[in-house]
């Protein structure tokens, strides 16, 4: 919970931040730039209301691939195995990066028991909450603060906005695409209009999860509990869920369900690995489906991003976002949502990459939806305070397609979906934004529950002050460009804490459910509260659905509601009840006249048996401004924007031109190519890496008249590798050097020092949110290899660090304070973890060795040992693990928790197993 002490501490921390604003004209791909926004803290006026306490979001542990498909386990239509319901206890959401991961004494895989996810029985909690709700008096609604507009303008009627998707063929690049989608499909978790609105009619006013006659439950599955919102294409429902929970085979899966019968058609199962996420947060994201390619896009909690054939469940392509790009996967589970736009699938997250992307930032990747190739790669403000699970919306505003999302830097960003170039940014909170924006006409509406900010201009710069109020709802003018933190605000209601649930815009009313499950009805033109708020329980996570004149919703503490909307826009409760088990984290959806409610304990299909439903049709889509109105080239796109290859390999680059609005103009056949680094590139754009290149980058430039586009590529050889850091240059002033530039996630968190005449790499203790992290060295298709290193830990205030090696998705870690050596794959769940006693002596060099081998019969064997440097290697392995659902390939890498003492590494080798 937020307290005055916690809030003050946050403000003190923010006093040290002076952040220059991004000017919303991004650098060439892969070359991030700084901008000019300053973040200050001020004491708010005495008339400001003090914030009510809210739960503090989780503080996070910091933490070429060939496009070949890693084998994924696909299960055909068989009765699904029973799953333990996935619960989401509140007490797990506030864990900080400083928390120590505790483990039980050594145990075999068979002895590992399912985790205790909550100390309090859910039924008792619900009973207590029901009593509180019946007895408690309603508190007054929060005050509304409306910013005075910069210039009075007459009100204008705002047309309904629509998604610009594969259905919109407005450019040469997309003209040949024809959507096969049905308008009644629910392809994205917020629906075809990206706002939680369905145009279905004839839906029930009530439902009862107990089932039976009159319940309107057509079918249910109590083995398909999830926190993920499902999507529907045709007669198939798709969703993420935990797999084989509470067993050594535990992981994540995409499930395809027959919407007519509830039968499982297929499952695509994959591991959760090299991640801090607990099982309670598996399935955080939601899948997206694309009718044009008949594929499903799923981002797992560990960064396992794949394209799946919707008919067979087989993986079409796979990108390991953490190993390849450094995408953060954390204890909080905050995983973003993929979204399809024309020929791209767009994904984002906090990325701690390589080279000039080594510092953390909320970054965005536009990928070719058919191949997974990176088309564009862009970022927001470096060093954000939080990760985020804000989901994007895409609509055409003022004739321009806009991808709008809340970011980890506390800003709302609008990005051109075809290019990744920035349209505008709006400072909204001092921490990361978690809610999902909606776009109506030319206005973006969004809610948040963090510390509020007060942007203003000083000496030509936007200065962002932090006040002591919590939560707000804002209306932003999306027709502007650049940093619109001051000019773009239409109105803002403060102290309305809507951190999780997305707003609804219905019949010129804005419906907002706050984190305490209180529903507010606001005037969308002013922010004025129109009616007394409606209590819907005590905790809210999911977003509401509007369909057939009703609002359907489920609260996090297990209450379900059907609300009718009266003529004046107020709501009345038509039906309410409690789930028999589980809670509502996923959002309700509607497709083809059926409602779907996914809870942590079950999946329900709801409708009126035998009744024919209707569909009023999607509203007309706003049109893009014709390309002929802006034919001037403004952006060169060089594809692929990011790649990883072996020495001697080639890449065929392609060049596209776009105008300032992000509209495609033409393919370029005669660009002037150049490359900086160990590679050559010919006039056609074919790059060939030098055969002797090793762990080096190459930067590619394409020039078209006066415009240039850029791309990055890492050139990493096959095994064996050896690193002793002796060739690293040490700066004479700072006495520091930098680790190999091609290592993902290493440079920002490590330095190279001269120690006793030898150069060694040091993981330092002074990097905020980066003292506990992972890094990766190269190709993710490597397998059957051994990684070794000399390591040493320093003691700090009586505490010791944790030091680890990574191979093929497995880790061997020396747990300094726990005095153990452990082999595992999933850090927090430890489904196959094995450990032995081991004492890490401070200031003493040890030699670590981790070997991973794929075995006959489809298992993997991970073996670890450690001994003092200079002594003879022990004949036996200290700890061994056999994994029945193995990680079959993965990049070598390093793990370290240096919060309690620096980590020293030297003489790192990676060799193929003999």
């Amino acid at each position: 919970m937020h307290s005055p002490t916690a809030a003050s501490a946050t403000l003190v921390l923010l006093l040290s931040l002076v952040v220059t604003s991004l000017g919303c004209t991004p650098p060439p791909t892969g070359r991030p730039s700084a901008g000019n926004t300053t973040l200050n803290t001020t004491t708010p006026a005495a008339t400001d209301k003090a914030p009510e306490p809210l739960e503090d979001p989780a503080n996070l542990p910091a933490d070429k691939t060939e496009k070949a498909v890693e084998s994924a386990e696909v299960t055909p239509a068989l009765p699904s195995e029973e799953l333990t319901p996935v619960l989401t206890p509140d007490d797990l959401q506030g864990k900080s990066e400083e928390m120590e991961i505790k483990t039980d004494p050594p145990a075999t895989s068979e002895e590992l028991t399912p985790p205790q996810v909550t100390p309090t029985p859910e039924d008792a909690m619900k009973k207590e909450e029901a009593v509180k709700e019946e007895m408690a008096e309603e508190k007054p609604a929060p005050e509304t603060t409306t910013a005075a507009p910069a210039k009075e303008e007459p009100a204008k009627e705002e047309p309904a906005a629509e998604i610009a998707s594969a259905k919109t063929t407005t450019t040469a690049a997309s003209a040949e695409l024809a959507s096969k989608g049905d308008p009644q499909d629910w392809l994205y978790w917020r629906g075809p209009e990206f706002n939680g609105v369905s145009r279905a009619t004839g839906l029930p006013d009530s439902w009862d999860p107990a089932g039976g006659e009159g319940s309107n439950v057509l079918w249910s599955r109590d083995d398909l509990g999830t926190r993920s919102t499902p999507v529907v294409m045709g007669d198939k429902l798709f969703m993420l869920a935990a797999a084989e929970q509470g067993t050594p085979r535990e992981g994540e899966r995409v499930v395809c369900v027959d919407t007519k019968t509830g039968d499982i058609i297929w499952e695509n199962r994959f591991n959760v690995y090299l991640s801090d996420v607990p099982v309670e947060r598996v399935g955080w994201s939601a899948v997206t489906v694309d009718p044009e390619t008949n594929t499903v896009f799923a981002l797992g909690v560990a960064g396992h991003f794949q394209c799946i054939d919707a008919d067979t469940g087989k993986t079409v392509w796979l990108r390991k976002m953490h190993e390849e790009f450094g995408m953060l996967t954390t204890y909080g589970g905050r995983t973003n949502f993929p979204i399809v736009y024309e020929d791209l699938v767009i994904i984002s997250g906090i990325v701690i990459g390589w080279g000039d992307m080594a510092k953390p930032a909320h970054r965005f990747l536009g990928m070719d939806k058919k191949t997974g190739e990176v088309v564009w790669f862009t970022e927001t403000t470096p060093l954000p305070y939080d990760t985020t699970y804000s989901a994007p919306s895409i609509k055409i505003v003022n004739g321009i397609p806009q991808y709008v999302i809340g970011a980890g830097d506390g800003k709302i960003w609008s990005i051109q979906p075809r290019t990744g170039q920035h349209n505008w940014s709006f400072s909204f909170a001092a921490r990361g934004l978690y809610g999902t924006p909606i776009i109506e006409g030319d206005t973006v509406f969004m809610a948040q529950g963090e510390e509020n900010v007060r942007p203003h201009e000083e000496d030509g710069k936007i200065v962002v002050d932090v006040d002591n109020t919590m939560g707000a709802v804002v209306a932003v003018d999306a027709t502007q460009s650049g940093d619109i933190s001051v000019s773009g605000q239409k109105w803002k209601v403060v102290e309305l804490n809507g951190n999780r649930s997305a707003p609804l815009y219905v019949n010129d009313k804005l419906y907002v459910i706050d984190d305490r499950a209180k529903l507010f009805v606001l005037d969308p033109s002013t922010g004025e509260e129109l009616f007394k708020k409606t209590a819907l329980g005590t905790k809210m996570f999911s977003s509401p659905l509007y369909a057939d004149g009703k609002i359907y919703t489920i609260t996090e503490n297990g209450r379900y509601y059907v609300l009718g909307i009266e003529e004046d826009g107020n709501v009345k409760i038509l039906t309410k009840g409690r789930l028999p088990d589980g809670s509502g984290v996923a959002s309700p959806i509607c497709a083809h006249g059926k409602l779907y409610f996914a809870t942590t304990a079950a999946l329900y299909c709801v409708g009126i048996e035998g009744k024919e439903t209707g569909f009023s049709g999607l509203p007309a889509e706003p049109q893009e401004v014709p390309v002929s109105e802006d034919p001037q080239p403004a952006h060169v796109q060089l594809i692929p924007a990011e790649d990883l290859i072996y020495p001697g390999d080639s890449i065929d680059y392609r060049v596209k031109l776009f105008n300032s609005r992000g509209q495609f103009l033409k393919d370029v056949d005669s660009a002037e190519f150049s490359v900086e680094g160990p590679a050559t590139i010919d006039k056609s754009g074919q790059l060939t890496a030098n055969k002797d290149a090793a762990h080096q980058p190459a930067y590619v430039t394409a020039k078209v008249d006066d415009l240039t586009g850029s791309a990055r590529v890492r050139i990493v050889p096959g095994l064996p590798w050896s690193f002793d850091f002796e060739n690293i240059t040490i700066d004479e002033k700072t006495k520091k050097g930098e680790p190999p530039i091609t290592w993902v996630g290493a440079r920002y968190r490590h330095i190279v020092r001269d120690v006793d005449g030898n150069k060694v790499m040091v993981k330092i203790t002074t990097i905020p949110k980066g003292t506990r992290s992972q890094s990766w060295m190269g190709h993710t298709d490597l397998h059957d290899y051994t990684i070794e290193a000399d390591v040493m830990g320093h003691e700090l205030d009586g505490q010791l660090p944790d030091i680890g090696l990574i191979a093929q998705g497995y880790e061997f870690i020396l747990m300094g304070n726990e005095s153990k050596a452990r082999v595992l794959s999933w850090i927090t769940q430890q489904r196959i973890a094995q450990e032995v006693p081991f004492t890490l002596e401070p200031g003493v060099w040890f030699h670590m060795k981790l070997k991973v081998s794929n075995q006959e019969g489809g298992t993997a064997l991970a073996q670890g040992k450690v001994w003092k440097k200079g002594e003879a290697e022990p004949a036996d392995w200290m700890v061994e693990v056999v994994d029945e659902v193995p990680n079959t390939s993965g990049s070598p890498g390093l793990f370290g928790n240096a919060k309690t003492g620096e980590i020293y590494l030297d003489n790192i080798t990676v060799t193929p197993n003999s």
Side-chain angles (χ1 to χ4, degrees), residues 887-902:
N887 307 313
T888 57
S889 65
S891 169
L894 304 169
F895 168 85
N897 181 5
K899 183 175 181 61
T900 54
E902 290 187 332

Side-chain angles (χ1 to χ4, degrees), residues 59-391:
N59 293 324
L60 308 168
D63 284 1
K64 154 168 160 202
T65 184
E66 70 178 326
K67 307 288 190 304
V69 176
E70 180 176 291
S71 62
E73 183 176 328
V74 181
T75 306
L78 292 172
S80 180
E81 298 178 17
E82 289 240 347
L83 293 178
T84 305
V86 183
L87 302 180
T88 311
D90 229 37
D91 54 311
L92 286 177
Q93 293 190 6
K95 301 299 184 184
S96 70
E97 66 173 318
E98 291 83 14
M99 74 171 283
E100 178 181 292
I101 298 177
K102 297 184 178 180
T103 60
D104 294 327
T108 64
S109 297
E110 291 74 22
E111 294 171 327
L112 294 176
T113 57
Q116 296 293 320
V117 296
T118 176
T120 306
E122 190 179 22
D123 290 343
M125 179 186 71
K126 291 180 178 179
K127 183 177 180 181
E128 180 181 352
E129 288 171 346
V131 173
K132 287 180 181 178
E133 291 173 20
E134 291 172 5
M135 299 181 63
E137 294 182 3
E138 285 295 322
K139 296 181 180 179
E143 298 176 359
T144 301
T145 300
T146 304
K151 183 167 63 175
E152 291 292 334
E153 294 182 359
K156 59 182 178 180
E157 184 177 347
E158 297 181 345
E162 281 301 318
I163 173 177
S165 68
K167 301 176 186 178
T168 306
T169 55
T170 56
T171 70
S174 62
E176 59 194 60
L177 298 180
S179 172
K180 301 177 182 178
D182 188 308
Q184 295 195 60
D185 285 343
W186 198 269
L187 306 176
Y188 181 67
W189 79 286
R190 292 306 285 153
E193 300 175 57
F194 291 83
N195 57 4
V197 172
S198 168
R199 305 293 173 171
T201 60
L203 303 178
D205 293 344
S206 66
W207 71 287
D208 185 351
E213 186 176 354
S215 68
N216 290 324
V217 174
L218 302 178
W219 55 260
S220 64
R221 294 290 300 251
D222 60 5
D223 58 345
L224 289 179
T226 183
R227 62 173 298 127
S228 178
T229 300
V231 299
V232 171
M233 181 170 65
D235 57 3
K236 296 185 180 72
L237 177 146
F238 307 90
M239 68 180 194
L240 283 163
E244 301 180 81
Q245 193 174 0
T247 76
R249 297 174 58 88
E250 192 159 25
E252 194 167 9
R253 57 181 171 158
V254 176
V255 184
C256 176
V257 177
D258 188 323
T259 59
K260 300 184 296 294
T261 64
D263 293 336
I264 293 178
I265 299 173
W266 54 257
E267 294 183 359
N268 181 304
R269 188 208 176 281
F270 48 96
N271 281 345
V272 178
Y273 56 103
L274 304 181
S275 175
D276 291 334
V277 67
V279 68
E280 295 82 16
R281 293 187 170 94
V282 170
W284 188 287
S285 180
V287 302
T288 298
V289 288
D290 176 47
E292 195 262 332
T293 56
N294 194 41
T295 52
V296 182
F297 298 95
L299 178 65
V301 286
H304 189 96
F305 185 38
Q306 58 179 328
C307 173
I308 302 169
D309 186 289
D311 289 333
T312 66
K314 295 185 181 297
T315 299
V316 177
W317 54 257
L318 166 67
R319 301 305 296 255
K320 299 180 180 180
M321 303 301 291
H322 50 344
E323 296 185 40
E324 294 185 60
F325 305 105
M327 185 172 286
L328 192 64
T329 167
T330 73
Y331 187 85
R334 298 167 185 160
T335 312
N336 210 268
F337 295 69
I339 192 169
V340 173
Y341 182 79
E342 296 181 346
D343 57 351
L344 300 177
V345 57
I346 304 170
I347 194 65
S348 80
I350 302 300
V351 170
I352 306 98
W354 64 273
D356 47 17
M357 289 192 180
K359 288 186 177 182
H362 191 162
R363 295 186 166 99
F364 300 80
L365 296 91
M367 296 179 172
D368 187 309
K369 68 183 181 182
K370 294 181 180 178
T371 65
E373 180 182 55
V374 179
V375 174
W376 56 258
F377 200 166
T378 194
E379 67 176 8
T380 58
T381 312
L383 303 177
Y385 193 86
D386 282 317
T387 63
T388 174
Y389 52 80
S390 176

